[in-house]
Amino acid sequence: MKYDFDLNTDRRGTNASKWLVGENELPMWIADMDFKTAPQIINAISKRADHGIFGYTEPDDEWEEAYINWWKARHGLDIKKGSLIFCTGIVPAISSIVRKLTTPNENVLIQSPVYNIFYNSIINNGARVLESPLIYDGESYRMDFDDLEKKMADPQTSLMILCNPHNPVGRIWSKEELAKVGSLALQYHVTVISDEIHCDIVRPGLSYVPFASVSKECEKVSITCIAPTKAFNLAGLQTAAVMVPDEFLRHKVWRGLNTDEVAEPNAFAVLTPVAAFNEGGDWLDEMREYVFENRKVIEDYIKTDIPSIKCVKGDATYLVWIDISSLNSDGNTVASFLREKTGLYLSAGNAYGTTGENFLRLNAATSRERITDGLSRLKNGIKMFINR
């Protein structure tokens, strides 16, 4: 490989949320990577830092074109000029959109288990969470369209947050599945926020389907949230975009983002997507190969050495969803036990809704050495838990 993903960069002492842990703890929880970002991005940031003046900044044509060209070349999506709005992050965007497009006590539909912050973005902005649980067959997940239609048909349901690809279950939704979501949403007057932040982290050889690209129906009802931050490990730089094809809906989103003051970039937030999308493709491709080899190592090890638990098959994200239902305990209890006894810090599935309570989430975006360490701790911890 051209890039070194085996490097154990020390992140302690940098105020990194992931690594604010005890000396002997190994954090494999929050969704950021332990890899240095692409050198091309580091060079762009260094060059801008050397300029020495960090005043107010605006998105420009180069920023817009970088998004347009990347999504066309990588994902086959034609983004219309003028349909992108800068925002400081996908979570601020979702919260702002919920605030702008719903009235108090209206329903926002989500498919659980799902990214835990969706719940916060809904509840904190005066709306109600309406769950349509995914169907789990013991191996993988699928949408429950009967339940989804029933809940979209509720006159109190005005908004849906779609996770595409899905965090934490790792599903890449098919064109047919997304088309059905769009058709139902149009029929029942539901706007769909499609969170596509994990879209560039898919199994090599596979690709995701942008929700807005599927049909005119999907395009009409869609607000798509996109960013380079997960794929290139840039979350702390607060840079993202919202793509809204429909002009009327775009104006409402634009007003919401500006009213909430989450539409102004910092001095590095415009240049980093440009460097990532224009120059970082090779780095991303190698990172994906490394991460999905990590996932295979984890899946094989758990199947062979920790058969009391199992991995859910996933084709997207660097997050491994682990089924612990055979332990007859919930994720909070098991995760707390593992951290206390072994120092391994995983995410408890309870955070992703009640349908996630028999699961753990493990971040595979780290060096192979740390993966090996984490698996050893997991094996010892599960053995201790069973024999406690």
Side-chain angles (χ1 to χ4, degrees):
M1 280 188 167
K2 180 179 177 182
Y3 304 101
D4 184 6
F5 297 101
D6 283 324
L7 183 65
N8 281 324
T9 302
D10 185 3
R11 299 182 65 189
R12 294 178 188 272
T14 65
N15 294 324
S17 299
K18 183 178 183 180
W19 283 87
L20 294 175
V21 296
E23 183 179 350
N24 295 315
E25 291 188 319
L26 177 63
M28 301 180 81
W29 63 294
I30 199 169
D32 75 3
M33 300 190 284
D34 288 329
F35 310 134
K36 288 187 177 182
T37 193
Q40 298 88 342
I41 298 172
I42 296 171
N43 290 339
I45 292 171
S46 296
K47 182 178 179 180
R48 179 67 184 85
D50 286 343
H51 183 263
I53 301 174
F54 310 107
Y56 297 116
T57 304
E58 297 289 337
D60 57 8
D61 289 343
E62 190 178 22
W63 173 86
E64 182 183 47
E65 288 165 6
Y67 273 95
I68 290 172
N69 293 339
W70 182 269
W71 256 264
K72 177 63 175 176
R74 288 266 172 164
H75 309 303
L77 174 63
D78 289 308
I79 297 177
K80 293 185 293 188
K81 275 187 169 294
S83 66
L84 286 171
I85 310 166
F86 175 88
C87 62
T88 57
I90 287 180
V91 169
I94 291 173
S95 293
S96 178
I97 293 164
V98 169
R99 207 156 36 245
K100 184 68 175 177
L101 297 187
T102 66
T103 57
N105 287 320
E106 283 188 338
N107 297 329
V108 179
L109 185 59
I110 57 175
Q111 295 170 299
S112 57
V114 73
Y115 179 47
N116 55 306
I117 305 303
F118 287 176
Y119 294 87
N120 298 349
S121 293
I122 296 166
I123 295 167
N124 291 345
N125 291 293
R128 293 180 181 270
V129 173
L130 183 60
E131 294 187 52
S132 178
L134 298 172
I135 296 172
Y136 177 56
D137 62 10
E139 298 293 333
S140 61
Y141 286 83
R142 68 181 188 276
M143 294 187 188
D144 186 340
F145 283 107
D146 291 337
D147 184 71
L148 193 66
E149 180 168 11
K150 177 183 176 182
K151 287 169 179 173
M152 277 199 186
D154 184 335
Q156 280 295 104
T157 304
S158 56
L159 195 62
M160 174 181 178
I161 307 176
L162 172 72
C163 203
N164 177 43
H166 194 95
N167 168 22
V169 308
R171 266 298 310 271
I172 300 174
W173 301 120
S174 69
K175 184 175 181 180
E176 292 72 26
E177 289 168 316
L178 295 174
K180 196 160 185 178
V181 172
S183 178
L184 290 172
L186 188 67
Q187 178 181 350
Y188 295 112
H189 309 285
V190 175
T191 300
V192 178
I193 304 172
S194 187
D195 176 358
E196 302 187 358
I197 195 170
H198 290 278
C199 69
D200 285 305
I201 310 171
V202 299
R203 190 177 299 278
L206 299 180
S207 58
Y208 101 112
V209 182
F211 177 68
S213 74
V214 171
S215 66
K216 289 296 180 183
E217 294 172 314
C218 292
E219 184 180 76
K220 179 70 175 175
V221 301
S222 67
I223 300 170
T224 303
C225 298
I226 51 181
T229 48
K230 280 288 181 279
F232 292 93
N233 209 23
L234 303 171
L237 292 180
Q238 299 181 320
T239 183
V242 180
M243 193 272 289
V244 194
D246 181 78
E247 187 174 352
F248 175 76
L249 190 55
R250 187 188 319 137
H251 178 76
K252 292 180 76 68
V253 172
W254 178 81
R255 285 298 305 142
L257 294 173
N258 278 275
T259 299
D260 292 334
E261 302 294 351
V262 293
E264 296 181 359
N266 64 57
F268 301 101
V270 172
L271 66 91
T272 45
V274 173
F277 296 141
N278 290 353
E279 303 177 63
D282 289 344
W283 181 93
L284 177 71
D285 291 339
E286 286 197 9
M287 183 275 289
R288 288 168 58 201
E289 288 182 20
Y290 190 90
V291 161
F292 277 87
E293 181 58 32
N294 276 354
R295 289 189 65 127
K296 186 176 187 305
V297 168
I298 293 164
E299 290 162 4
D300 290 348
Y301 185 94
I302 287 177
K303 184 176 181 179
T304 302
D305 290 75
I306 324 175
S308 55
I309 62 176
K310 64 181 179 180
C311 296
V312 175
K313 183 182 184 301
D315 289 322
T317 82
Y318 47 69
L319 304 164
V320 181
W321 192 233
I322 302 173
D323 183 341
I324 59 167
S325 55
S326 67
L327 301 181
N328 297 314
S329 189
D330 69 285
N332 277 335
T333 301
V334 176
S336 295
F337 183 91
L338 290 172
R339 187 174 184 183
E340 179 186 351
K341 300 297 184 182
T342 75
L344 177 63
Y345 185 6
L346 304 182
S347 297
N350 305 64
Y352 309 99
T354 55
T355 55
E357 65 182 0
N358 293 319
F359 295 84
L360 299 171
R361 196 187 73 169
L362 183 153
N363 183 343
T366 192
S367 69
R368 198 68 42 78
E369 180 182 336
R370 286 175 178 156
I371 293 292
T372 301
D373 182 12
L375 288 172
S376 176
R377 295 181 192 222
L378 182 61
K379 179 181 178 179
N380 293 335
I382 295 296
K383 182 179 180 181
M384 284 188 284
F385 186 83
I386 291 171
N387 295 326
R388 72 193 189 286

